[in-house]
């Protein structure tokens, strides 16, 4: 048995049956990482010795006891670098654990490694990392998606059983879809953002990427809950998100948004998603056509609100308090200007400029205020839809992973491909991407993700439906890419 191929749930069972230990698993993964990293490049840094020490003392009776979980570089882990893949945070060491990390540790998990991402989580391909490019485990000439591309690539290349990512407009679900793993974006407020480097604070959520829906539920059990350090985290009764994983699809009402199957979707992706939806109906789900009439505004609204919030959040990186500072400044203004000029990459600069523009007096009402109003309409579209259906089913991305460099000079094309994921963040609802098959693109066969969306705070139901689909998807018979 190759321990690198096992899910969190299988590893846990093995630990408890004393078939193998957390140290055995870490040693296997380190060998795996050494052989795959030269082509995948999912990690920015990792400290194997520290993880090994934690594994030696792991208490496998805890909910995630002894299980290694990779961490996106935007989430603070005390004593480790935390750069959000930006030069401006070069040399910064996290002085504290993010709440999700503290909770993983309490549950017995071993946070391991810093995983690559688009700088400040801005992007859909991980090409915006200031460090290096991560490749897609299915085809090393292609992108892994983003911004949590390192997390998705590590999980699908069997370097790690699971990882944390963050999702502001799709950054967990889209790389999960493009690499072929499961990615869950919890509802806004479900998981504390304390210790996550903020991109757009009204949209950001931390969530898991793993090789099964059950594993995502196990991680959500550990990280969810009210946190006094994040005033937007919700105080809710404790819930077991694995509780509904034995449900099937009989009688489940699945909404298909008519606005999502129009031009712009790659025909091979569309065919794969349609056959996945047919499997849901063969398994007893009732398919219902629904309408999300404000879909066409979602990309514009997102890129106004997200950039506005980003421009405010990134104002703190001034070369004084954190990370890298320009050398030999002439004066204070020169220090600010050059630290930001040298520290930020071009996509981050583009977002800061856009965000500053839409917030500037004279344009604030025309752009930002109007976008907030349309955001409300988008949220209402979902509320109306969820009166009729248990969940919405649709593609995660209109395309498969594209070749590295292909979109380098076309940011707009990159933004438009976020169409199926960003509305969930604007509405605050939960969503999950589950692998549903391979589609051919220019001679390569690449993974396609099926997305399920559910009402805010309906994660248990969402996970139940995704898990039921997973068991009929046939994905388990598709061999791992490398
Ligand atoms: N691709 C989107 C963007 O570039 C979403 C990123 C994210 O979810 N962090 O903003």
């Amino acid at each position: 048995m190759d321990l690198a191929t096992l899910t969190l749930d299988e590893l846990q069972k093995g630990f408890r049956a004393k078939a193998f230990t957390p140290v055995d698993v870490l040693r296997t993964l380190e060998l795996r990482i050494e052989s795959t990293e030269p082509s995948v490049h999912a990690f920015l840094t990792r400290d194997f010795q520290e993880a090994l020490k934690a594994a030696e003392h792991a208490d496998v009776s805890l909910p995630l006891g002894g299980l290694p979980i990779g961490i996106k570089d935007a989430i603070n882990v005390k004593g480790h670098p935390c750069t959000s893949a930006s030069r401006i945070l070069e040399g910064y060491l996290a002085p504290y654990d993010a709440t999700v990390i503290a909770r993983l540790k309490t549950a017995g998990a071993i946070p391991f490694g810093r995983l690559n991402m688009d700088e400040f989580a801005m992007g859909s391909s991980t090409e915006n990392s200031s460090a290096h490019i991560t490749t897609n485990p299915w085809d090393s000439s292609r992108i892994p998606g983003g911004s949590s591309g390192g997390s998705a690539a590590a999980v699908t290349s069997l370097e790690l059983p699971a990882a944390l990512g963050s999702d502001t407009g799709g950054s967990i679900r889209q790389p999960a879809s493009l690499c072929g793993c499961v990615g869950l974006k919890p509802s806004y407020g479900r998981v504390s953002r304390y210790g996550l480097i903020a991109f757009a604070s009204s949209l950001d959520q931390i969530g898991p990427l793993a090789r099964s829906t059950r594993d995502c539920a196990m991680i959500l059990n550990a990280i969810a809950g009210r946190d006094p350090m994040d005033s937007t985290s919700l105080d809710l009764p404790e819930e077991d998100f694995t509780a509904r994983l034995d449900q099937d699809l009989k009688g489940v009402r699945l909404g298909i948004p008519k606005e999502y199957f129009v031009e712009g979707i790659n025909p091979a992706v569309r065919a794969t998603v349609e056959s996945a939806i047919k499997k849901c109906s063969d398994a007893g789900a009732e398919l219902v056509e629904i309408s999300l009439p404000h879909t066409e505004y979602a990309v514009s609204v997102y890129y106004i609100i997200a950039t506005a919030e980003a421009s405010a959040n990134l104002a703190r990186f001034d070369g004084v308090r954190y990370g890298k500072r320009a050398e030999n400044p002439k004066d204070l203004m020169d220090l600010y200007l050059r630290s930001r000029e040298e520290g930020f990459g071009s996509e981050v600069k583009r977002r800061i400029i856009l965000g500053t523009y839409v917030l500037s007096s004279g344009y604030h009402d025309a752009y930002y205020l109007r976008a907030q109003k349309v955001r409300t309409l988008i949220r209402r579209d979902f509320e109306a839809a969820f009166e009729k259906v248990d969940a919405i089913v649709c593609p995660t991305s209109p395309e498969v992973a594209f070749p590295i460099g292909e979109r380098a000079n076309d940011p707009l094309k990159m933004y438009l491909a976020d169409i199926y994921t960003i509305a969930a963040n604007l509405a605050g609802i939960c969503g999950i991407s589950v692998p549903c098959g391979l589609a051919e693109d220019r001679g390569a066969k690449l993974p396609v993700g099926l997305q399920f969306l559910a009402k805010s705070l309906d994660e248990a139901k969402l996970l139940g439906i995704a898990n039921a689909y997973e068991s009929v998807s046939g994905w388990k018979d598709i061999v791992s890419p490398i």
Side-chain angles (χ1 to χ4, degrees):
M1 176 177 32
D2 180 355
L3 297 180
T5 63
L6 301 185
T7 61
L8 291 182
D9 179 48
E10 291 162 341
L11 289 170
Q12 181 174 72
K13 291 197 172 107
F15 292 161
R16 292 182 179 170
K18 299 199 169 18
F20 45 79
T21 67
V23 171
D24 297 333
V25 170
L26 265 184
R27 289 198 193 282
T28 305
L29 293 179
E30 186 59 9
L31 288 179
R32 175 83 194 162
I33 290 168
E34 274 167 25
S35 74
T36 48
E37 264 304 271
S39 76
V40 175
H41 306 292
F43 287 87
L44 292 170
T45 61
R46 59 184 186 276
D47 184 342
F48 181 62
Q49 290 311 323
E50 187 198 67
L52 202 57
K53 231 181 273 159
E56 279 162 6
H57 300 108
D59 176 353
V60 301
S61 68
L62 291 172
L64 297 176
L67 296 168
I69 296 179
I71 309 297
K72 183 177 185 176
D73 196 40
I75 302 171
N76 280 267
V77 178
K78 189 172 179 175
H80 288 262
C82 186
T83 69
S84 237
S86 179
R87 269 195 306 273
I88 209 158
L89 278 168
E90 230 169 65
Y92 177 74
L93 291 179
Y96 66 97
D97 277 334
T99 298
V100 289
I101 300 300
R103 291 197 174 164
L104 283 183
K105 287 179 179 170
T106 305
I110 305 172
F112 178 66
R114 308 295 306 162
L115 293 166
N116 200 16
M117 57 185 284
D118 286 298
E119 183 178 5
F120 286 108
M122 296 171 188
S124 314
S125 67
T126 312
E127 293 169 291
N128 297 336
S129 167
S130 70
H132 54 245
I133 287 173
T134 296
T135 66
N136 191 303
W138 292 82
D139 177 345
S140 61
S141 70
R142 300 201 178 220
I143 56 108
S147 65
S148 311
S151 301
V155 170
T156 34
S157 62
L158 310 182
E159 295 181 340
L160 285 172
L164 289 187
S166 64
D167 191 313
T168 305
S171 277
I172 291 174
R173 290 160 288 154
Q174 184 261 20
S177 164
L178 270 42
C179 284
C181 64
V182 183
L184 169 72
K185 183 201 91 74
S187 311
Y188 189 76
R190 178 63 90 179
V191 176
S192 166
R193 294 176 293 109
Y194 179 66
L196 168 70
I197 296 177
F199 164 9
S201 306
S202 77
L203 302 161
D204 298 340
Q205 271 294 286
I206 296 172
L209 295 95
R211 291 200 288 269
S212 74
T213 301
R214 176 173 293 278
D215 286 5
C216 287
M218 285 167 68
I219 294 179
L220 187 62
N221 273 351
I223 63 175
R226 165 84 186 146
D227 173 14
M229 301 303 282
D230 173 2
S231 62
T232 64
S233 67
L234 298 167
D235 197 3
L236 301 159
E238 205 169 303
E239 222 182 312
D240 176 4
F241 297 104
T242 64
R244 292 173 71 170
L245 294 184
D246 51 9
Q247 82 167 61
D248 59 29
L249 287 170
K250 283 194 196 77
V252 172
R253 286 162 308 153
L254 291 178
I256 303 178
K258 64 174 189 230
E259 294 82 2
Y260 280 24
F261 290 86
V262 290
E263 73 203 86
I265 177 166
N266 169 324
V269 170
R270 181 183 181 139
T272 310
V273 166
E274 282 172 349
S275 83
I277 294 176
K278 175 151 189 313
K279 276 187 189 157
C280 295
S281 98
D282 291 347
E286 185 193 329
L287 305 181
V288 183
E289 187 185 86
I290 56 158
S291 174
L292 299 171
H294 297 93
T295 297
E296 63 175 307
Y297 307 112
V299 172
S300 321
V301 167
Y302 170 83
Y303 277 94
I304 290 172
I305 293 175
T307 57
E309 293 183 13
S311 71
N313 277 327
L314 269 54
R316 73 190 65 166
F317 299 104
D318 55 9
V320 176
R321 286 167 288 187
Y322 313 89
K324 203 172 144 49
R325 175 178 306 174
E327 281 174 22
N328 307 320
K330 282 203 309 277
D331 53 25
L332 185 62
M333 192 47 86
D334 187 46
L335 179 139
Y336 289 152
L337 292 178
R338 278 204 295 116
S339 296
R340 287 169 73 82
E341 161 63 28
E342 292 163 20
F344 291 134
S346 56
E347 180 62 25
V348 173
K349 286 178 187 154
R350 179 163 28 241
R351 306 264 181 132
I352 293 173
I353 292 167
L354 270 169
T356 309
Y357 177 80
V358 299
L359 286 177
S360 57
S361 64
Y363 294 105
H364 177 277
D365 290 5
Y367 291 105
Y368 185 70
L369 200 65
R370 187 172 296 186
Q372 291 291 14
K373 289 180 181 167
V374 182
R375 179 179 188 172
T376 302
L377 298 177
I378 290 172
R379 204 187 59 232
R380 287 192 193 143
D381 283 357
F382 283 103
E383 281 165 7
F386 291 128
E387 297 273 305
K388 296 195 207 105
V389 296
D390 296 297
I392 291 170
V393 62
C394 59
T396 308
S397 171
E399 52 195 18
V400 291
F402 57 82
I404 291 167
E406 194 178 70
R407 301 270 161 89
N409 298 316
D410 199 347
L412 196 57
K413 193 155 186 203
M414 195 98 97
Y415 298 171
L416 289 171
D418 292 335
I419 177 70
Y420 300 131
T421 49
I422 51 189
N425 302 74
L426 291 167
I429 61 175
C430 52
I432 190 167
S433 179
V434 186
C436 72
L438 298 174
E440 193 163 326
D441 178 58
R442 292 169 274 179
K445 286 204 156 169
L446 295 152
V448 176
L450 185 68
Q451 180 175 228
F452 293 98
L453 300 170
K455 205 153 77 188
S456 173
L457 305 180
D458 235 354
E459 280 89 349
K461 187 198 248 182
L462 177 75
L463 288 159
I465 293 171
N467 188 64
Y469 167 70
E470 193 178 291
S471 61
V472 299
S473 71
W475 179 257
K476 288 210 170 75
D477 306 328
I478 295 179
V479 270
S480 115
I482 46 176

